[in-house]
Amino acid sequence: MTHHPMGSAEPLLAVRDLRVTFQRHGEKAFRAVDGVSFDVRPGQTVGLVGESGCGKSVTSLAIMGLLPKRGNRVEGTAIFDGEDLLSLSPSAMRDRRGADIAMIFQDPLSSLNPVVTIGRQVTEVMERHQGLSRKDATPKAAELLERVGIPDPRARLINYPHQLSGGMRQRALIAMALACNPRLLIADEPTTALDVTIQAQILALLKELVVDTGTALVMITHDLGVVAGLCDEVNVLYGGKIVERGGRHGLFQRPRHPYTVGLLNSIPRLDAPRGEKLSPVPGSVADNLPWDSACAFAPRCPNVLDVCTQEQPGWDGDQVVGYRCFNPMGGPR
Amino acid sequence: MLRFVVRRLLQMCMVVVVLSMLVFVWLRSLPGGPVSAILGERQTPQRRAALEAALGLDQPLPVQYLKFMERAIQGNFGVSTKVLPGEDALDVFLSRLPATIELSLLALFLAITLGIPLGYLAARRQGSVTDTTAVIFSLVGVAVPVFFTAFLLKYFFAVEWNLLPVSGRQTTGLDATRVTGMFVLDGVLTREWDAAWDAVKHLILPAVALATIPFAVIFRITRASVLDVLDEDYVRTAEAKGLTAQVIRGRHVLRNAMLPVVTTVGLQVGGLLAGAVLTETVFSYRGVGDALATAFREKDYPVLQVLILAAAVIYVLVNLLVDIAYAVIDPRIRTR
Ligand SMILES: Nc1ncnc2c1ncn2[C@@H]1O[C@H](COP(=O)(O)OP(=O)(O)OP(=O)(O)O)[C@@H](O)[C@H]1O
Ligand SMILES: [Mg+2]
């Protein structure tokens, strides 16, 4: 793996204090992302992990400029290659998407247009960003399909999504995302909708591709097990805030935030005795306290102190490692 | 694809046969019946029985039906009694057909070319003034009966403001060459531009009246369908690829949004046939609809039989075309 000593290279993407507030008229404003900051260095793989509803997708959609046009407010900055993506004009952002930054989504079937051939859905990206004609793009599309491990790629070009298996569809989506050699790929739960064996194949493929191409990867998942083998750095998100960040080894060997510990305990282990019950984090996000005057996780936290329900915990750390907790595992630093 | 079409054609034949039975039984169960229609109500039972025997009406219904079908396949439906007395019933239908084709095609063209773009625009600007206005108009469009729309149009544009002709297909005395029987097309083919323009003027009001309901329905379905598709994941994928707005609109939104619209257009053709009866009557437009109204009123059974069967065949044929169009756009059907 192209290894960048931590903190050395300039970040490719620097997200600072990202806030996304949803506001429908007549309803109370809801802050789905609440001051998120993280860096992605060239060639690095960064995980964004947390339970359903913690704001992972909203974070990535905000960076991509793909949130619904109305009913939300995005604040903060996302500096990509010296430009703030969040203040680019829609047409400038359209030029970046698919070319410099690409994204793949959770459900491969619904993410593909059912009435357009796989080939066309691959070539259209190259036609758009590389100025290729459809004729010139077609052999390249076949090469791409081959590279993502789709057998008999020429025949697949004229297939429609429903004629492919789930794993093949996700491979095709990855091919589309990589068509223009983006420098950053955001993968939003790319394996959640797939069978376990296929999941492992797709993860292996992603890993191989980012190593080969030097593409930086933001890997979004609710499963810490997925990031274990893949990510250089992991951000744990809770209630729209990053509650812990660390390098792969540090985070897994010495988690500090009680929520991270809970997530680690809920990873299914292959070596665990059969029938042993997983221990997911007790409680649900519905119990969350508002971040303004407390730690949102306090009601579910095994380590809770009085202060946790009275004050917002600050960030203890930097852009590389840190946590947000009054009473971390193993005691304060 | 070929197998698909052949299967559909076979299904279509079955439908037409079943329909022909229904029409046959229905027409024979109407009060009065053909004998009264020919002889009048006041006749001696002997004369009625003699005519019934002559027409084969004393035989069991299935036998009558088989005889009817045997003649029908040879194009022999009998002779018109009232619409064009003495003329062959099939010829009556064929002579009226071009007028109605011309009218329905124009109406359908108007409904589609206005309904689909407006439906798309309304969906893109959901909740805007444009959207709300268009939705209200379409509600009015479906709710108001065709003959009322036709009457209003005729009253204002023809009678009050004298902008367009009141009725008919052509100004009397205009000497136009007939080729296909579709007057606009004939005018164009023979380069008799004044005749073509005259035919267009006669067509406008009936076509607009006939188009209102299909327009409103197509508009509403397009709007709803585009709204659905805009929420689909693959549209977000297309956006994530940075594709241009035109490509996203055409290839990713409209192509998918058209699927329910195509089906709707097929169903609207049925409504169009019914609407033609009313519109043609209001504008004294000598088409199939007008012939049907007359035949029904005057109990011209041979003509009635031809017209109803023809309507059924056309309806089934159009829906076959719709199914083919659907299979062309939707590979999930084609490549099963
Ligand atoms: N368009 C929207 N309007 C209003 N609220 C939204 C919208 N999109 C997301 N949210 C809310 O923002 C919060 C975060 O959603 P998000 O989709 O980012 O969660 P997630 O972490 O991706 O979860 P999952 O694992 O289920 O994908 C949720 O509470 C969700 O209800
Ligand atoms: Mg999500």
Side-chain angles (χ1 to χ4, degrees), chain B residues 71 86 93 113 120 129 141-142 145 153 166 169 176 219 241 254 261-262 268 273-274 276 297 310 323:
Chain B
R71 274 175 282 135
F93 162 69
T113 51
Y120 178 82
V129 181
V142 242
L153 286 172
V166 181
R169 294 185 64 198
F219 165 81
K241 289 170 168 178
L254 275 178
V261 179
V262 166
Q268 284 310 303
L273 294 174
R297 198 172 51 237
D323 284 347

Side-chain angles (χ1 to χ4, degrees), chain B residues 320-335:
Chain B
L320 172 73
L321 287 180
V322 164
D323 284 347
I324 293 174
Y326 203 105
V328 168
I329 332 183
D330 192 344
R332 284 164 295 187
I333 296 195
R334 200 183 335 136
T335 58

Side-chain angles (χ1 to χ4, degrees), chain A residues 20-24 27 30-33 48-61 67-68 70-72 106 188-189 192 220-222 237 239-240 285:
Chain A
V20 180
T21 318
F22 290 105
Q23 170 89 71
R24 296 234 177 76
E27 280 173 42
F30 172 72
R31 180 161 291 169
V33 178
L48 224 49
V49 189
E51 286 169 312
S52 186
C54 69
K56 306 181 296 287
S57 297
V58 173
T59 301
S60 57
L61 293 174
L67 284 172
R70 274 176 285 178
N72 64 70
Q106 178 170 340
D188 188 354
E189 313 222 19
T192 313
I220 295 177
T221 173
H222 59 260
L237 217 59
V285 281

